[in-house]
Amino acid sequence: MEVVKNNSQLTILGIESSCDDTSAAVLSNGKICSNVVASQDIHKEFGGVVPEWASRKHQLNIVPTVQSALKKADQKLENIDAIACTQGPGLMGSLLVGHSFVKGLALSTKIPFVNVDHIDAHVLAHFIDDDIPELPFLCLLVSGGHTQIVRVDSGYEITVLGRTIDDAAGEAFDKAGKMLGLSYPSGPIIDELSKSGDPLKYQFNTPKVSNLDFSFSGLKTSILYFLQKEIRKDKNFISENKNDLCASIQHTIVSYLMSKLSEAIIKTGITGIGIAGGVAANSELRKALTQLAAKYEGVAYVPRLEYCTDNAAMIAFAGKIKIEKQQFGTLSDVCFTRK
Ligand code: KG4
Ligand code: ZN
């Protein structure tokens, strides 16, 4: 399959369904014209994403979400030059809904499609707006399923320098939130409650891991044991200290992420630093990144909030790069859950 238009003039429909957000976006003439996200509230009552519910909700949401993205962009399907779709990593059932939908759409309309890597797309979200990073830069990718430090040399060259060996940073927020009785996803709630809390009131052990890898499971245990000990003394401990607990947990996670990024700066000598993924929406992390860049006389790249959490704009944009490489998908392509 081949797209003959000049790449910058292409109109691309992006589709994302890797976890619990169904999203569709239209990228036309290099600009995002729509970016619609249908979130699934059902998971709140279970304290985490229930994979089977997620795929069923994607099935319900995918057609109206795509229709809404086309409408908002004032586009019709016949004007779409290519479709970009998340292939992985993510939840298999969720991925399958979006990927099968795209294959069917491509088959019936003869519009070519490209497979997009969800993690690369989070990083490439930095290039959507005009204010793009100078290359190379380091990007801390922090989401509900992944935590990595990558070196970005171009849209095609993304090298992983370190990654989590257990939980992701987003999971650390979500699991800590669950212990505090907060609903899912707890990251944004902890962020909000932290605003009126003392970040230095409680200290939690941060995991020691060599090189640029991360570990969050020790932190989770440290929070759990601390809470159990305090609740034995005072059963209202959590409710009476919720904001300080949130602020201290958030501060611990952010400081740990920044210490690893600082190590990466020293190791590589690269002082252009960015953040990506859902946790990049965190207000303390956004501030800390700017402070870290200033410390090394570098530059901080902080994407717009709507391009941090899962969205199809980043998929459409990453798809454009795949089209430039003429890497089109085929009907026999399959989804993948891990890299
Ligand atoms: O990238 P994302 O939308 O989905 C995945 O690919 O996983 O990230 C979702 C994660 C969740 O763990 C959520 O709690 C976290 O991002 N998150 C935040 C904030 N907003 C979303 N964590 C901390 N502070 C926030 N403001
Ligand atoms: Zn994501």
Side-chain angles (χ1 to χ4, degrees), residues 118 122 143 310 314:
H118 182 84
H122 269 303
S143 73
D310 285 349
M314 67 181 193

Side-chain angles (χ1 to χ4, degrees), residues 23-46:
S23 181
V26 175
L27 172 79
S28 190
N29 294 317
K31 295 268 171 249
I32 295 294
C33 307
S34 64
N35 183 29
V36 178
V37 182
S39 297
Q40 305 178 356
D41 281 345
I42 182 128
H43 306 287
K44 282 192 175 33
E45 58 185 284
F46 298 100

Side-chain angles (χ1 to χ4, degrees), residues 116-136:
V116 169
D117 181 296
H118 182 84
I119 307 278
D120 288 354
H122 269 303
V123 175
L124 294 171
H126 278 281
F127 297 93
I128 296 178
D129 284 334
D130 291 339
D131 186 17
I132 61 171
E134 222 173 272
L135 297 168

